[in-house]
Each structure stands twice: as structure tokens, then as C-alpha cells.
């Protein structure tokens, strides 16, 4: 009989968001009349904007004509999309990239997992706590860890607690690490890194010859000036960082699927013999073997995000979500619930009232306010006692959710 990958058995519960869906669906089955508002998973609610939709339709129409039909595309994505991204998303930040350094994909969740393929299992990995669960779980799945301990940490990973005391900012690991996951604007805490803080990480990585896996999926939601949108705004970052970006939240592509990963040519690792080798070449090799690229109409739609018309329309929706974030943040603060994030990120990280555990608050919020959020402890042990609300809802639902919470806790 074939042996399973036992590493999967080390994983504790089901993946966080399906687990929440399961509980919500149990609740709605038992309470069919409850008008449940979902602010749990960060899934967008606004449809694709007209400029993107037009390009998407045109892409589909081209597929219907033998003369303009597209079969397999380049595994790395079409050069024209990479170039648009470089010109519109990176050049304005003062970042110069080559098309060969930008790999188009079906989203940054997949890329931030798949990237582990090009790193040796012996690398020491540091992740934040709380953290986007994908970084933790995929390291367990590939066999980089031992079992989970009683505190909820996997043996073999280095955790960087992000707490109220340190402003939810990861501190440098005490032991030397080879790979560091950073996510800014942060999911789940909604905090950002300043230029000085990012520079310190780049300096640290260069000194220690580590690689930073920089998840910038939420960069479009930054509202404050001078907060870096890309790690490559910091000198020297191309020698030590891989960056992930996504069209999911930026342009409503959660169901369409498109993202990108930047692997600079300057970024080198070492072989078993101690020779230097390019991660860009390895990622390219990996993608060519395991990935067949993103569909042509989707890439056409993604390019339209960066047309003048497309960007103006997309920006309006980003502003809409950020207004939701303000409503949640200010509404809950008025109810004396302590809130973090929500200024440069579409997530509000709140301290559970009356010292409730994250899951107790989840149950109470669902049962008494019919509002779904995400328990902080689902993102790691340091998330216990916290809770995440997403700002991606419809305005009316967001306002109703806030009113229900204020009614319950604001007196
Ligand atoms: C989240 O809610 O954290 C995200 O939507 C999950 C994801 O992007 O995979």
C-alpha cells in the first residue's frame, strides 16, 4: 500500500477558512432565518471593474477565432503583462526590474507555498506569529518541522511573536535563520513596516545571507505616504528578497486568479558544494515543469487593471473598502473595543472584549450578532485574545455588523 506524506498528520485542525465556513454553515442550517454577515475570509464583494471586464471579454473573443486563438502561453506569463506591471507598478516606486524577473501566476497563495520547492529542507525558517497560516502549514507539509508543541508551535520553525508590546512588528530572530517570511501590509494584524524597519530587515538578511519572502498582496491598500509598497524600494533588497503580489484583493481577482512573483537575478543561494546559484533560474525551471501559465483572457484582464481607466476604477473600489475599514475601526473603538490596523490594510485586528478567547468571541459574535470574523488564534498562538474583521464587505452589511456589535458591547 502506498505510504502517505505523514507530515500532513502533524497539521492540527483543518485549514482555517474552510473550518470557519464549516462552523458558519452549521449555524445557518440550525438558524435559517438569521441574516449572517460574513467579515471572515478576506474575499472581495465588488465585481470586476468595467475596463477589466472589457479586456477579459476581448480575450475570450480572441480565443473563439482561429486567427487570434492562444494555446499554451509562456509558463512565466506573457512578457507584455510583465512589462505593464514593471512600468505601472514598480517604476513609479523607483524600482527597475526585467521582464525575466517577473513571473505571472494564478495567485500569491500558491506562489508563497510553491516557492519552498527551490529551497533545501535544511534551511532554518522564521515566520511571524500571528501569521497568514499558509506559511506555517506549507512548511509542515514539506517536512521542515517536527510535531506541534503544547503552546501551538511546530518544532524546527522559528517564530517571531508580533504582540501589542512590539507594535505587532516581528523582531529579529535570536538564532541565525536562512528564510524569513515578512508580510506587509500585514495579514492578519493590518500593520505596515516603515522604510527604516524594512531597511533593517534588508540589512539583516544581507548580513546573514538569508532570503526574505516578502508578501505584498495588500500593498494597494496603503494610504499613508512614505510607507514602502515594495521591498525593492530598499537598496540591496534585490540581493536578498523575493516578492509576491496579487490581483486578488487589488482588483477583485479572488475568483479569477492572477498574481505574480518577483525573483531578481541578483538573488543567489548556495549549492551543496558551496557554489553560488541563481534562485531566478531555479524558479523558472520549477514553473516550466510544474505550471502551464495563466489563461490568456485572465492575463488580458490583469493588464487592463493598469490602464488609466482600469486603475481609476480599481482605485475607487480600494477606497470603498478602506472606507469600510474606517467605519469598522471607528465604530468599534467607540464601543471601547481596542482596534489595530485598518489604516493601510483592509483588516481590523481587534482585542476581544472582556478577555474572551478568540474562538469564544467567534461563537458569541456569530450566535448573538450573526457576524462572522476570524479568530486571531487561528493565525498562531500570539493571536489568542484577538480577532480579525475583513473590510471587503458591502457597505450596508459592514455598517449593520458594526451597529450590532456596538449594540452588544458598546453600552
Ligand atoms: C485571508 O482572509 O486571510 C485571505 O483571504 C486568504 C487568502 O488570501 O488566501
Amino acid at each position: 500500500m502506498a505510504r502517505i506524506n505523514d507530515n500532513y498528520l502533524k497539521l492540527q485542525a483543518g485549514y482555517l477558512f474552510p473550518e470557519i465556513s464549516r462552523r458558519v454553515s452549521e449555524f445557518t442550517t440550525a438558524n435559517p432565518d438569521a441574516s449572517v454577515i460574513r467579515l471572515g475570509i478576506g474575499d472581495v464583494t465588488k465585481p470586476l471593474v468595467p475596463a477589466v471586464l472589457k479586456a477579459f471579454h476581448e480575450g475570450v473573443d480572441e480565443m473563439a477565432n482561429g486567427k487570434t486563438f492562444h494555446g499554451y502561453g509562456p509558463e512565466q506569463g506573457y512578457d507584455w503583462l510583465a512589462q505593464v506591471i514593471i512600468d505601472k507598478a514598480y517604476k513609479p516606486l523607483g524600482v527597475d526590474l526585467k521582464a525575466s524577473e517577473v513571473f505571472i501566476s494564478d495567485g500569491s497563495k500558491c506562489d508563497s507555498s510553491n516557492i519552498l520547492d527551490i529551497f533545501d529542507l535544511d534551511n532554518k525558517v522564521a515566520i511571524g506569529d500571528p501569521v497568514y497560516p499558509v506559511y506555517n502549514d506549507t512548511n509542515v507539509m514539506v517536512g521542515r518541522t517536527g510535531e506541534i508543541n503544547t503552546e501551538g508551535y511546530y518544532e524546527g520553525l522559528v517564530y517571531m511573536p508580533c504582540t501589542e508590546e512590539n507594535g505587532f512588528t516581528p523582531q529579529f530572530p535570536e538564532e541565525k535563520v536562512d528564510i524569513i517570511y515578512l508580510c506587509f501590509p500585514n495579514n492578519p494584524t493590518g500593520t505596515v513596516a516603515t522604510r527604516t524597519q524594512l531597511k533593517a530587515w534588508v540589512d539583516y538578511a544581507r548580513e546573514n545571507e538569508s532570503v526574505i519572502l516578502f508578501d505584498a498582496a495588500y500593498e494597494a491598500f496603503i494610504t499613508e505616504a512614505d510607507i514602502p509598497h515594495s521591498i525593492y524600494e530598499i537598496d540591496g533588497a534585490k540581493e536578498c528578497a523575493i516578492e509576491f503580489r496579487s490581483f486578488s484583493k487589488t482588483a477583485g481577482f479572488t475568483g479569477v486568479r492572477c498574481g505574480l512573483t518577483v525573483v531578481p537575478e541578483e538573488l543567489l543561494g548556495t549549492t551543496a558544494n558551496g557554489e553560488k546559484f541563481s534562485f531566478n533560474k531555479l524558479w523558472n525551471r520549477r514553473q516550466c515543469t510544474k505550471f502551464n501559465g495563466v489563461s490568456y483572457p485572465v492575463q488580458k484582464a490583469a493588464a487592463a487593471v493598469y490602464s488609466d481607466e482600469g486603475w481609476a476604477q480599481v482605485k475607487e473600489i480600494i477606497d470603498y473598502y478602506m472606507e469600510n475599514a474606517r467605519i469598522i475601526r471607528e465604530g468599534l473603538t467607540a464601543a471601547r473595543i481596542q482596534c489595530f490596523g485598518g489604516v493601510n490594510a483592509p483588516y481590523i485586528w481587534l482585542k476581544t472584549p472582556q478577555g474572551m478567547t478568540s474562538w469564544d468571541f467567534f461563537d458569541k459574535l456569530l450566535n448573538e450578532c450573526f457576524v462572522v470574523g476570524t479568530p486571531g488564534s487561528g493565525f498562531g498562538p500570539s493571536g489568542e485574545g484577538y480577532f480579525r474583521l475583513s473590510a471587503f464587505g458591502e457597505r450596508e452589511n459592514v455598517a449593520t455588523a458594526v451597529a450590532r456589535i456596538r449594540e452588544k458591547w458598546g453600552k
Side-chain angles (χ1 to χ4, degrees):
M1 199 174 274
R3 270 288 306 276
I4 64 158
N5 178 350
D6 284 320
N7 295 311
Y8 279 61
L9 304 183
K10 296 175 190 160
L11 295 164
Q12 285 310 288
Y15 185 59
L16 179 60
F17 296 107
E19 174 62 18
I20 291 172
S21 300
R22 194 190 58 74
R23 290 187 188 217
V24 174
S25 122
E26 230 172 66
F27 176 82
T28 50
T29 308
N31 303 276
D33 295 332
S35 70
V36 173
I37 298 174
R38 291 173 167 79
L39 304 179
I41 189 166
D43 196 3
V44 295
T45 50
K46 288 282 169 204
L48 297 176
V49 300
V52 168
L53 212 48
K54 181 168 173 284
F56 207 169
H57 279 298
E58 283 167 7
V60 172
D61 286 342
E62 284 181 59
M63 298 297 273
N65 180 336
K67 291 206 179 79
T68 49
F69 172 76
H70 286 77
Y72 289 127
E75 293 84 355
Q76 306 79 358
Y78 289 102
D79 262 1
W80 43 260
L81 176 55
Q83 201 53 53
V84 164
I85 292 166
I86 292 168
D87 292 344
K88 297 294 179 81
Y90 282 101
K91 276 201 184 135
L93 304 174
V95 175
D96 208 15
L97 293 171
K98 294 182 197 149
S100 56
E101 296 175 311
V102 177
F103 295 82
I104 310 299
S105 72
D106 56 350
S108 57
K109 177 184 188 178
C110 319
D111 282 359
S112 62
S113 313
N114 293 334
I115 200 75
L116 294 180
D117 276 8
I118 63 169
F119 289 93
D120 187 82
L121 219 45
D122 281 345
N123 283 303
K124 202 54 151 176
V125 170
I127 63 173
D129 164 36
V131 75
Y132 179 42
V134 168
Y135 314 153
N136 187 75
D137 290 8
T138 52
N139 274 285
V140 176
M141 289 169 170
V142 297
R144 184 165 282 116
T145 73
E147 298 293 336
I148 195 166
N149 68 19
T150 50
E151 286 167 272
Y153 294 120
Y154 286 90
E155 183 202 326
L157 288 182
V158 175
Y159 290 88
M160 303 177 288
C162 302
T163 60
E164 195 180 338
E165 290 71 44
N166 63 27
F168 302 105
T169 310
Q171 308 296 297
F172 297 129
E174 278 165 20
E175 60 189 285
K176 183 176 155 26
V177 295
D178 307 297
I179 300 171
I180 303 150
Y181 287 85
L182 293 180
C183 173
F184 290 115
N186 188 261
N187 179 13
T189 65
T191 49
V192 281
T194 63
R195 212 164 281 279
T196 312
Q197 285 169 326
L198 268 196
K199 182 179 177 326
W201 274 111
V202 168
D203 291 347
Y204 172 93
R206 290 172 79 193
E207 235 161 73
N208 290 279
E209 300 191 307
S210 344
V211 173
I212 295 173
L213 300 179
F214 191 76
D215 187 346
Y218 298 93
E219 60 78 30
F221 296 85
I222 292 173
T223 59
E224 290 180 320
D226 211 40
I227 298 291
H229 285 240
S230 164
I231 193 157
Y232 304 122
E233 290 180 57
I234 310 299
D235 282 345
K238 283 192 193 169
E239 287 165 34
C240 66
I242 290 174
E243 179 165 294
F244 306 101
R245 284 197 178 197
S246 170
F247 286 86
S248 287
K249 320 294 159 103
T250 305
F253 274 49
T254 51
V256 176
R257 310 307 307 151
C258 195
L260 62 119
T261 290
V262 178
V263 189
E265 287 177 359
E266 287 96 319
L267 180 69
L268 303 175
T270 54
T271 65
N273 300 330
E275 284 154 24
K276 296 211 183 310
F277 201 89
S278 153
F279 279 112
N280 177 288
K281 284 202 177 114
L282 287 186
W283 183 244
N284 189 43
R285 185 70 177 82
R286 190 260 171 217
Q287 292 298 81
C288 288
T289 302
K290 294 196 179 183
F291 187 56
N292 258 338
V294 177
S295 81
Y296 173 76
V298 166
Q299 294 194 60
K300 283 273 288 188
V305 168
Y306 288 110
S307 64
D308 290 346
E309 201 190 1
W311 188 251
Q313 293 167 354
V314 157
K315 184 70 178 64
E316 211 173 293
I317 293 180
I318 291 172
D319 292 346
Y320 173 94
Y321 291 137
M322 290 312 288
E323 175 62 9
N324 285 348
R326 187 193 64 76
I327 291 169
I328 300 173
R329 196 166 34 83
E330 292 184 0
L332 299 196
T333 305
R336 291 185 301 279
I337 294 176
Q338 207 177 351
C339 292
F340 307 89
V343 175
N344 294 298
Y347 294 125
I348 286 80
W349 186 241
L350 60 96
K351 206 165 185 163
T352 56
Q354 296 145 12
M356 260 179 275
T357 69
S358 304
W359 278 109
D360 282 351
F361 187 64
F362 173 89
D363 288 334
K364 216 167 168 57
L365 207 58
L366 179 58
N367 284 288
E368 297 178 22
C369 301
F370 305 158
V371 172
V372 182
T374 309
S377 56
F379 296 101
S382 296
E384 182 56 279
Y386 290 87
F387 201 77
R388 194 194 76 175
L389 288 175
S390 149
F392 288 116
E394 288 287 347
R395 177 68 44 78
E396 202 187 323
N397 286 341
V398 165
T400 307
V402 170
R404 288 182 192 167
I405 297 172
R406 286 184 69 162
E407 174 68 23
K408 179 86 202 145
W409 280 284
K411 294 184 190 133

